[in-house]
């Protein structure tokens, strides 16, 4: 049995050593890019440098070795991709690692061909040319507009030797947004982890177009006596510095300040004052001129005066379910095109013109019930004037939030019931003289049944609330239970215990390769037969919904005392042999004694004293007998 165990251990150690060699051996990089005609160092990690060498078709300039590495300097003299092989020959096996070496050349130049003046809506072609670049399969060409890439192409294999010139065409439709944008080309060589970029010069383009119909922005309804702004926009006018704008209000020429936006739109703005004796419709006109071209737009605006309103209530404080009458009137001398509306709590209840009266019941549990009177222009109800009175409503308390049972967390916010009522009711929750509302933070001793009460002059309400305070696990206690000193082959129990609410769950971090079993709740680790792999740190992790804690326990497995057990075995064996010999001697002695029982004559017998007829004569009276 011991021989088999030693053989298995040697096999595991040999396998581990081979794997360790695999991890310690290999080229430090799988591929490398080198400018044509230049040298590069290739490195290889190896546990045996003197048995390691590089094999390559490239010219090896020099080789260096260290305690656990081999390096060779190679020179790249042509465009062919080369594979350099690092080899370790240990006699019984070979380890191989590859490095791909590839030559490259950055572009000598990148050029762009494009017109500088573009008419909107027409197509134009950009020609990007990359000069003397290699290899093509790692080349990407980007065409950029204003710093943003608008077209890209990447070249793929096969591998082409020597430097090449390559062009890429991109056709696009000129837009207004192209104006004053910089167009450029760039060549990107992605060589492994290195990225090389060569850019062309930038070409700045200018776009142009004819103007469109101007757009007037102005409020369509303007209150008399106020100032307002009118704006005229001419989009797509180019060049913008040659665009002029003129604005007219009725028959009055206005002072316009033109502004050109980044998109080329020309904006004219003017400030006006509405001060008219007569109300109604007015006209604003905008004219846009560009060289001999002109366009015109018109809009109508309405000059109005706001209505005035008055609201009164029959009562301003009522109890729930009592009636109230609201009266709404317009105070304008000229009623004009106005309407009136009475609304209760945001809901329209009644409409009219010069005066409106509405009676309603305060049936909602709300401490403040808004009653609103609104006067509006009938042609545009968005233009209005309102006044609001708040009706105070009294009603008894009711709990709006008071859950039972209620679960709190230790250290959190104390429990609090909320109640609705008017006037606003105070709320207290009490248990055995303790008021949970007054606590700053929750503690676990706050669990219990609380009587919560809310009251005001309209009444009182009560509710019994059961409160449970939960808390995170306490620091766990880890103990090791065993019948004797922990030696190889002994059983071991590791117990973890902690307090928490809700009841915590247990999990363990045990040493690698340690075979253990767990109790159903995982608070106990059971090792039926201790082995060397069971030695190490056992971490008990205890968690519940409110937290997580852990504790560590070191376990040491004492080696089996073979010599002590061998000596005990020898002593026991010798003792057993002595005991067996003693038993055999005793049995033989007892048997011998049984065979010697009877009377024996101790004197010399004469011939006449021999047996006669098979009888033994009686001994003399003075003879001696022995049993």
């Amino acid at each position: 049995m011991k021989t088999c165990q030693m053989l298995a251990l040697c096999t595991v150690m040999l396998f581990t050593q081979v794997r360790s060699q695999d991890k310690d051996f290999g080229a430090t990089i799988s591929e490398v890019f080198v400018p044509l005609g230049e040298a590069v160092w290739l490195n290889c990690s190896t546990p045996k440098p003197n048995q390691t060498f590089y094999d390559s078709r490239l010219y090896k300039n020099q080789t260096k070795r260290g305690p656990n590495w081999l390096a060779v300097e190679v020179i790249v003299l042509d465009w062919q991709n080369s594979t350099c092989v690092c080899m370790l020959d240990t006699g019984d096996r070979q380890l191989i690692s590859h490095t791909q070496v590839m030559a490259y050349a950055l572009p000598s130049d990148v050029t762009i061909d494009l017109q500088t003046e573009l008419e909107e809506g027409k197509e134009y072609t950009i020609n990007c040319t990359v000069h003397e670049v290699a290899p093509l399969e790692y080349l990407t060409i980007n065409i950029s507009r204003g710093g943003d890439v608008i077209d890209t192409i990447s070249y793929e294999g096969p591998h082409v030797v020597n430097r090449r010139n390559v062009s890429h065409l991109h056709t696009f439709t000129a837009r207004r947004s192209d104006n004053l944008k910089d167009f450029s080309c760039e060549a990107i060589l992605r060589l492994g982890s290195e990225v090389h970029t060569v850019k062309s010069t930038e070409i700045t383009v200018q776009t142009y177009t004819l103007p469109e119909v101007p757009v007037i922005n102005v409020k369509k309804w303007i209150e008399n006596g106020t100032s307002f702004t009118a704006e005229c926009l001419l989009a797509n006018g180019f060049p913008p510095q040659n665009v002029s704008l003129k604005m007219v209000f009725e028959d009055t020429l206005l002072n316009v300040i033109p502004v050109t936006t980044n998109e080329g739109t020309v904006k004219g703005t003017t400030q006006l004052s509405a001060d008219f004796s007569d109300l109604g419709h007015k006209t604003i006109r905008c004219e846009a001129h560009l060289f001999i071209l002109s366009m015109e737009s018109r809009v109508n605006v309405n000059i109005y005066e706001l209505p005035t309103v008055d609201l009164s209530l029959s009562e301003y404080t009522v109890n729930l379910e009592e009636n109230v009458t609201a009266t709404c009137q317009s105070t304008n001398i000229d009623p004009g095109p106005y309407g009136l509306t009475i609304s209760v709590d945001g809901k329209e209840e009644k409409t009219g013109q010069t005066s409106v009266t509405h009676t309603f019941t305060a049936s909602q549990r709300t401490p403040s019930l808004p009653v609103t009177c609104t006067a509006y222009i009938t042609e545009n109800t968005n233009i209005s004037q309102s006044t609001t009175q708040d009706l105070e409503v009294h009603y008894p308390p009711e709990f709006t939030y008071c859950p039972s049972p209620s679960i709190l967390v230790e250290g959190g916010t104390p429990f609090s019931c909320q109640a609705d009522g008017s006037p606003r009711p105070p709320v207290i929750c009490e248990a055995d003289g303790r008021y949970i509302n007054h606590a700053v933070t929750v503690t676990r001793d706050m669990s219990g049944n609380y009587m919560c009460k809310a009251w005001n002059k309209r009444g009182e309400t009560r509710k019994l609330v059961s409160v449970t305070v939960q808390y995170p696990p306490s620091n766990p206690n880890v103990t090791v239970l065993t019948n004797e000193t922990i030696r190889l082959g002994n059983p071991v129990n590791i117990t973890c215990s902690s307090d928490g609410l809700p009841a915590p769950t247990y999990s363990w971090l045990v040493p690698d390769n340690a075979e253990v079993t767990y109790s159903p709740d995982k608070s106990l680790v059971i090792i039926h037969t201790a082995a060397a792999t069971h030695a190490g740190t056992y971490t008990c992790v205890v968690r519940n919904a409110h937290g997580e804690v852990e504790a560590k326990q070191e376990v040491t497995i004492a080696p089996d005392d073979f010599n002590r057990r061998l000596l005990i075995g020898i002593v026991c064996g010798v003792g057993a042999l002595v005991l067996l010999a003693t038993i055999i001697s005793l049995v033989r002695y007892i048997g011998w004694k049984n065979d010697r029982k009877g009377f024996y004559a101790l004197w010399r017998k004469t011939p006449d004293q021999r047996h006669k007829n098979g009888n033994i004569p009686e001994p003399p009276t003075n003879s001696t007998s022995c049993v």
Side-chain angles (χ1 to χ4, degrees):
M1 182 66 179
K2 293 291 184 181
T3 303
C4 294
Q5 292 178 350
M6 292 298 295
L7 180 59
L9 180 60
C10 291
T11 303
V12 172
M13 292 177 63
L14 178 60
F15 178 72
T16 304
Q17 183 177 6
V18 172
R19 292 191 61 186
S20 177
Q21 290 179 356
D22 291 344
K23 293 180 180 179
D24 297 338
F25 175 81
T28 58
I29 189 171
S30 60
E31 64 177 13
V32 62
F33 295 86
V34 185
L36 182 68
E38 296 187 11
V40 64
W41 280 96
L42 305 178
N43 297 311
C44 181
S45 299
T46 175
K48 298 180 179 180
N50 293 331
Q51 298 180 25
T52 306
F53 61 93
Y54 260 104
D55 185 18
S56 173
R57 74 174 187 84
L58 299 176
Y59 175 73
K60 291 184 283 188
N61 192 30
Q62 53 180 322
T63 302
K64 295 182 180 180
R65 287 181 168 84
N68 57 358
W69 56 269
L70 170 68
V72 61
E73 185 185 39
V74 297
I75 301 177
V76 181
L77 300 175
D78 56 51
W79 294 103
Q80 296 294 337
N81 295 339
S82 302
T83 301
C84 297
V85 181
C86 178
M87 301 181 63
L88 169 60
D89 191 349
T90 62
D92 58 343
R93 64 182 300 195
Q94 286 186 343
L95 299 179
I96 298 174
S97 184
H98 302 82
T99 299
Q100 186 81 359
V101 181
M102 292 161 278
Y104 74 91
L106 295 179
S108 61
D109 194 14
V110 177
T111 59
I112 181 173
D113 184 17
L114 175 64
Q115 291 180 232
T116 58
E117 294 183 354
L118 312 177
E119 182 179 353
E120 184 178 22
K122 287 189 176 182
E123 289 189 347
Y124 296 89
T125 300
I126 302 173
N127 184 6
C128 284
T129 303
V130 182
H131 301 268
E132 297 183 317
V133 63
L136 289 184
E137 60 262 35
Y138 299 104
L139 175 65
T140 296
I141 298 177
N142 289 338
I143 299 177
S144 298
R145 167 189 173 274
D148 298 327
V149 176
I150 60 175
D151 190 23
T152 184
I153 182 172
S154 297
Y155 294 86
E156 299 179 353
H159 180 67
V160 179
V161 300
N162 214 337
R163 298 176 176 89
R164 297 284 299 275
N165 294 339
V166 60
S167 296
H168 176 56
L169 302 179
H170 173 67
T171 300
F172 70 103
T173 300
R175 297 176 297 173
R176 183 75 171 86
S177 58
D178 294 328
N179 187 47
L180 300 180
K181 290 295 189 296
D182 296 327
F183 286 76
S184 64
C185 300
E186 65 177 357
I188 302 174
L189 270 184
R190 290 184 172 86
L191 307 175
S193 61
E194 296 184 3
V195 178
H196 301 272
T197 302
V198 180
K199 293 185 177 181
S200 70
T201 58
E202 294 182 342
I203 294 179
T204 303
V205 301
Q206 186 178 39
T207 57
Y208 59 91
T209 186
L210 295 176
E212 298 179 358
V213 176
V215 176
I216 300 174
N217 293 327
V218 66
K219 295 190 299 182
K220 301 301 187 293
W221 291 82
I222 301 168
E223 184 180 0
N224 194 23
T226 63
S227 297
F228 65 98
T229 300
E231 181 183 79
C232 180
L233 298 176
L234 180 65
N236 299 321
F238 186 84
Q241 61 269 22
N242 293 338
V243 175
S244 63
L245 297 176
K246 184 173 69 173
M247 299 184 70
V248 179
F249 185 75
E250 289 294 290
D251 296 325
T252 304
L253 181 64
L254 304 175
N255 182 28
V256 177
I257 302 175
V259 176
T260 302
T261 67
N262 292 334
E263 295 80 13
T265 298
V266 179
K267 178 174 66 174
T269 305
T270 185
Q271 194 76 15
L272 297 171
S273 295
D275 188 8
F276 297 90
S277 57
D278 59 329
L279 307 178
H281 301 298
K282 307 295 178 182
T283 301
I284 296 178
R285 178 164 47 94
C286 178
E287 298 176 1
H289 300 272
L290 178 61
F291 302 119
I292 61 173
L293 301 175
S294 63
M295 302 292 289
E296 181 183 286
S297 295
R298 293 171 178 260
V299 296
N300 290 326
V301 297
N302 297 276
I303 309 299
Y304 69 89
E305 287 184 349
L306 277 175
T308 57
V309 293
D310 179 68
L311 173 65
S312 61
L313 302 177
S314 60
E315 300 288 342
Y316 290 89
T317 301
V318 297
N319 294 326
L320 196 65
E321 303 300 335
E322 288 185 354
N323 293 335
V324 180
T325 299
T327 301
C328 178
Q329 293 179 333
S330 173
T331 58
N332 289 62
I333 298 176
D334 182 5
Y338 303 128
L340 291 174
T341 298
I342 291 180
S343 300
V344 178
D345 197 24
K347 181 182 179 182
E348 184 179 298
E349 298 291 348
K350 197 170 184 180
T351 61
Q353 287 187 333
T354 57
S355 180
V356 178
T357 300
H358 174 64
T359 300
F360 62 95
T361 301
S363 60
Q364 301 181 52
R365 289 179 59 89
T366 177
S368 179
L369 189 63
V371 181
T372 303
C373 176
T374 302
Y376 56 88
I377 297 177
T378 55
E379 292 184 19
N380 186 355
T381 57
N382 292 324
I383 300 176
S384 60
Q385 186 82 342
S386 298
T387 183
T388 300
Q389 298 285 351
D390 289 329
L391 176 65
E392 185 178 351
V393 182
H394 290 174
Y395 49 89
E398 286 184 1
F399 283 116
T400 57
Y401 176 81
C402 198
S404 181
S406 180
I407 297 177
L408 305 181
V409 179
E410 185 177 44
T413 304
F415 172 82
S416 177
C417 280
Q418 299 175 10
D420 172 50
S422 180
R424 183 177 182 83
V427 178
I428 61 170
C429 292
E430 184 267 339
D432 299 328
R434 294 179 301 144
Y435 295 90
I436 196 170
N437 314 63
H438 300 163
V440 178
T441 57
V442 175
T443 58
R444 66 184 65 182
D445 60 355
M446 290 182 181
S447 295
N449 294 321
Y450 290 80
M451 177 58 70
C452 295
K453 181 178 72 171
W455 70 95
N456 63 12
K457 63 182 181 180
R458 296 292 300 162
E460 177 182 304
T461 184
R462 294 172 178 261
K463 184 175 182 180
L464 184 64
V465 178
S466 174
V467 176
T468 301
V469 178
Q470 297 184 348
Y471 48 92
S474 60
N475 291 330
N477 180 31
V478 180
T479 58
V480 179
L481 304 178
T482 182
N483 295 329
E484 57 185 27
T485 302
I486 305 175
R487 297 187 179 276
L488 291 173
N490 290 158
V492 182
N493 290 344
I494 305 174
T495 304
C496 183
S497 60
S498 178
D499 181 30
L501 189 67
T505 60
Y506 298 86
S507 61
W508 292 84
L509 299 175
V510 302
D512 295 340
N513 303 321
E515 295 185 2
V516 301
T517 57
Y518 302 95
S519 63
D521 65 350
K522 291 203 174 176
S523 64
L524 174 65
V525 175
I526 303 170
I527 303 173
H528 296 286
T529 303
T533 55
H534 290 112
T537 302
Y538 289 74
T539 302
C540 175
V541 181
V542 186
R543 60 172 63 91
N544 67 8
H546 308 297
E548 175 182 310
V549 291
E550 64 178 40
K552 301 179 183 296
Q553 175 67 47
E554 291 293 330
V555 172
T556 302
I557 306 299
D560 191 9
D561 192 348
F562 176 77
N563 292 333
R564 178 178 62 83
R565 290 187 288 108
L566 179 61
L567 179 60
I568 293 174
I570 293 174
V571 171
C572 291
V574 171
L577 291 176
V578 172
L579 179 61
L580 179 61
T582 302
I583 293 173
I584 293 174
S585 299
L586 181 60
V587 171
R588 294 185 64 184
Y589 174 74
I590 293 173
W592 177 80
K593 288 287 290 179
N594 289 335
D595 289 341
R596 298 294 294 174
K597 284 185 177 181
F599 296 94
Y600 297 89
L602 300 183
W603 68 95
R604 178 179 292 274
K605 294 182 176 70
T606 59
D608 58 346
Q609 291 176 328
R610 296 180 181 275
H611 290 223
K612 296 180 180 180
N613 300 322
N615 296 320
I616 300 176
E618 292 293 332
T621 58
N622 59 352
S623 63
T624 302
S625 64
C626 180
V627 178

